[in-house]
Amino acid sequence: RGTAFDIFGYTQERRTERRLIGEYEAMIAELIAKLDAQNHAMAVEIAGLAGQIRGFGHVKERTIKKTKEREAKLLATFRHPPAAATAAE
């Protein structure tokens, strides 16, 4: 695995998996950098989304799409919390 002789490593599915790993690592770094007591629960929820990606082929593609949509919504809220939450600080 991971060598030039890994013919399956060139498939779209494997390339997508490697891309997702990089995206996840970057997202975790962002979550850690902005983590505080108020957003801890949301950060844990966002970090756990990757565990929902399962399956093969079209099933996995569909799961990735749904998970990424949920992740985008949660990250938007994490990055820009509602006014009521920031006023309480």
Side-chain angles (χ1 to χ4, degrees):
R1 287 190 163 207
T3 69
F5 300 107
D6 180 11
I7 60 171
F8 299 107
Y10 296 107
T11 65
Q12 181 63 39
E13 188 169 4
R14 295 297 178 259
R15 286 184 281 168
T16 299
E17 289 171 351
R18 288 191 298 272
R19 179 181 50 83
L20 289 172
I21 291 169
E23 290 174 2
Y24 183 77
E25 290 171 342
M27 180 188 61
I28 293 298
E30 177 184 351
L31 293 175
I32 291 171
K34 298 179 181 178
L35 189 62
D36 61 29
Q38 286 75 32
N39 63 19
H40 179 266
M42 183 174 290
V44 170
E45 183 178 356
I46 294 169
L49 288 174
Q52 296 177 5
I53 299 175
R54 297 190 177 124
F56 297 97
H58 69 281
V59 173
K60 188 174 212 169
E61 288 175 25
R62 188 174 51 236
T63 306
I64 290 170
K65 183 179 181 224
K66 287 181 182 179
T67 303
K68 285 297 193 178
E69 289 170 358
R70 177 77 176 138
E71 178 185 290
K73 290 177 185 176
L74 288 172
L75 277 173
T77 304
F78 182 85
R79 291 173 179 148
H80 309 287
T86 55
E89 294 175 8

